[in-house]
Amino acid sequence: MIGFIGSVFSPWYRWSGRRDPQNHCCINVATYGPKGRFTMTDRGRSALRQSEDVFEVGPSSIRWEGDRLVIEVNEISSPPLISRVRGTITLHPEALFGQTHNLTPDGSHSWQPFAPIARIEVDLSPGHRWLGHGYFDANFGTAALEDDFNYWTWGRFPNRGGATCFYDAELRNGQAQETALHFHPDGRVDNIAPPPLTRFARSKWAVRRETRADAGFKPKQELPMLDAPFYTRAAVRTRIDGVESVGVHEALDLRRYAQPLLKPMLAVRVPRRRNWEFTSGRIGDQ
């Protein structure tokens, strides 16, 4: 689940010139398996409402309730499986982390892992109900991703009672930017020496994939999640300091994403809805 102000993967935001982020907001939800659905509706500024503890986009919302983050989902999935996706996701952080980490030398893009160690409860239609590992972070940027990056990978792997995260980016000038952190349940975070960057099998759309792994170990996909011409998400097995771990891994090819012909394809999966009225409580204009 991703909440956007300035929906970076929306073709409508790109076509608008990216001048008004609040006019292109979204709560994106993807579920996997036989009943998997994908929702990513680009909504106008009338659908956005914010306070210190609540973030609302049309019929869906994210809010803090004490020490829990509660996400109420009420969306319509995109083709080919069009249906309502509705329910609640509840995140219970083990600890909250306040550090911000620059992904570019000038800080034009940054990453803040708020709760890299958490428990999660999922109850979503149609038929997704489970408990497991949770994770909550944010990315911030003042420029388009494809203007500053060629490619990046990210991975979060449960490890040694906490979680290890790797963020590896190739900037447009070819420079490599790497971040390797281990988070402890008591709120400590360590900068660690990352194991070697290791390639493994490409995605179905032939997106290049690599992550960190002990020397001699080849990572492998355990479960496919989301495949697009420029992006892939999967559960991946790697080995860190001699311990094997299965975590969520993403790879993003910004050279591919920058291709203009890709945007009309995305528009099929990312509908645009300009209008919303909170006062009426209606859900018909989704």
Side-chain angles (χ1 to χ4, degrees), residues 94 111 115-119 132-137 154-159 162-167 183 211 234 236 238 240 245-250:
E94 293 288 331
W111 168 57
I117 313 167
R119 294 179 296 108
H133 289 279
Y135 173 90
F136 174 42
D137 73 353
W154 168 90
R156 180 264 188 194
F157 299 96
N159 193 19
T164 301
C165 292
F166 302 114
Y167 223 131
F183 299 92
T211 192
V236 169
T238 191
I240 306 166
S245 175
V246 177
V248 175
H249 174 273
E250 298 176 333

Side-chain angles (χ1 to χ4, degrees), residues 20-68:
D20 188 356
Q22 285 77 15
N23 199 37
H24 295 273
C25 50
C26 173
I27 290 183
N28 160 237
V29 180
T31 57
Y32 314 114
K35 296 182 179 179
R37 299 292 189 271
F38 180 86
T39 80
M40 194 172 185
T41 301
D42 182 310
R43 301 187 185 277
R45 63 168 50 251
S46 63
L48 177 64
R49 209 158 57 172
Q50 294 175 271
S51 66
E52 184 176 358
D53 294 322
V54 181
F55 171 69
E56 294 179 274
V57 179
S60 299
S61 65
I62 305 170
R63 68 180 185 276
W64 283 107
E65 291 186 356
D67 60 357
R68 303 179 302 164

Side-chain angles (χ1 to χ4, degrees), residues 11-12 58 67 79 81-82 105 147 198 215 228 257 270:
W12 311 101
D67 60 357
L81 300 173
I82 301 173
D147 289 348
T198 307
Y257 179 68
V270 184

Side-chain angles (χ1 to χ4, degrees), residues 72-189:
E72 297 288 350
V73 176
N74 186 359
E75 299 289 333
I76 300 294
S77 62
S78 62
L81 300 173
I82 301 173
S83 66
R84 188 172 297 282
V85 178
R86 193 166 191 169
T88 304
I89 303 166
T90 306
L91 185 96
H92 302 270
E94 293 288 331
L96 292 175
F97 296 80
Q99 303 92 340
T100 298
H101 306 273
N102 288 340
L103 301 177
T104 53
D106 64 357
S108 60
H109 294 270
S110 61
W111 168 57
Q112 189 167 2
F114 293 120
I117 313 167
R119 294 179 296 108
I120 198 167
E121 305 168 30
V122 176
D123 187 0
L124 293 176
S125 65
H128 291 268
R129 179 178 290 179
W130 52 273
L131 308 175
H133 289 279
Y135 173 90
F136 174 42
D137 73 353
N139 283 71
F140 307 92
T142 58
L145 294 176
E146 64 269 30
D147 289 348
D148 286 343
F149 299 96
N150 289 328
Y151 174 82
W152 80 31
T153 66
W154 168 90
R156 180 264 188 194
F157 299 96
N159 193 19
R160 291 181 285 148
T164 301
C165 292
F166 302 114
Y167 223 131
D168 289 284
E170 179 189 315
L171 304 181
R172 282 293 299 273
N173 63 9
Q175 179 183 347
Q177 188 85 355
E178 63 181 41
T179 303
L181 302 169
H182 182 74
F183 299 92
H184 299 269
D186 61 7
R188 291 178 296 122
V189 57

